[in-house]
Amino acid sequence: SHRADAPIDDLFQLQDTLTERIVSSLALPLSAEDRHSLDRQAPASAEAYALYLRANQLMTDSHRWDDARGLYEQAVQLDPDYAPAWARLGRARRLIAKYEGTQGADLLPQAEAAFRRAFDLNPDLPIAHDLHAYVEAELGRAPEAMTRLLHRAATRRDDPDLLAGLVTMCRYAG
């Protein structure tokens, strides 16, 4: 049992402190790469993170995808360096482009741009690799996506997001 106090406006620092204590108490060895990856996934803005979480919830209802996209767009405006929000924005744009026909026709290139931004910020973000693979498949690049994910899986064998994308790309690539 540990106690940690923090002001309400510093919840992310509290989260980092608790995470470090939990990892330490479990005696889990974190490589420098693992620690760097965790640091890169933390949002800088609590408000952006709240928008991100609300958008994630809305994405579970296809009738709310436009609302979710708007929240992701607000989140990346508030915190333009938060790679997971860019990846989820890419997914929202892709789904709208795919399932809303002419209304979302111009969104597939915008989805690709959101994923490029996510990769610029964090080239190792597993969820971005998984979700981007679907865009690649819809653009006729499933074999290339499969190859990319296979190379990544060689060093990240226990990454469920990466493996999920790989399974899908294997199916698309035949």
Side-chain angles (χ1 to χ4, degrees):
S1 172
H2 294 281
R3 178 183 170 96
D5 295 310
I8 192 72
D9 60 341
D10 202 8
L11 291 178
F12 294 122
Q13 179 60 40
L14 178 62
Q15 180 180 348
D16 290 345
T17 301
L18 292 174
T19 300
E20 287 178 22
R21 287 183 183 176
I22 291 168
V23 170
S24 295
S25 71
L26 295 174
L28 294 174
L30 282 183
S31 68
E33 180 183 335
D34 290 336
R35 188 166 300 282
H36 183 65
S37 179
L38 285 173
D39 290 342
R40 291 167 72 175
Q41 291 186 41
S45 163
E47 185 179 352
Y49 189 58
L51 291 167
Y52 169 79
L53 292 176
R54 284 188 16 224
N56 287 349
Q57 181 61 41
L58 292 177
M59 284 301 295
T60 64
D61 179 356
S62 62
H63 297 97
R64 305 295 306 271
W65 286 349
D66 278 324
D67 297 331
R69 179 185 60 172
L71 292 177
Y72 288 130
E73 289 170 348
Q74 289 176 41
V76 299
Q77 284 176 348
L78 286 171
D79 188 354
D81 295 331
Y82 188 43
W86 283 105
R88 295 284 185 163
L89 174 58
R91 176 180 183 251
R93 289 173 173 172
R94 178 194 74 84
L95 289 172
I96 293 168
K98 180 172 183 168
Y99 294 108
E100 293 192 11
T102 57
Q103 248 185 332
D106 62 334
L107 288 178
L108 201 54
Q110 291 179 28
E112 182 87 6
F115 284 113
R116 273 196 308 275
R117 176 68 175 144
F119 288 129
D120 287 345
L121 294 167
N122 186 350
D124 295 319
L125 185 64
I127 194 167
H129 284 280
D130 170 24
L131 298 176
H132 182 243
Y134 292 88
V135 171
E136 291 176 294
E138 289 172 15
L139 293 172
R141 301 190 319 245
E144 292 88 346
M146 182 184 71
T147 302
R148 176 179 55 82
L149 294 174
L150 279 169
H151 287 293
R152 295 192 62 77
T155 58
R156 301 179 91 78
R157 296 172 189 248
D158 60 348
D159 185 327
D161 291 318
L162 184 62
L163 296 175
L166 180 57
V167 166
T168 302
M169 287 312 100
C170 287
R171 184 187 66 183
Y172 276 104

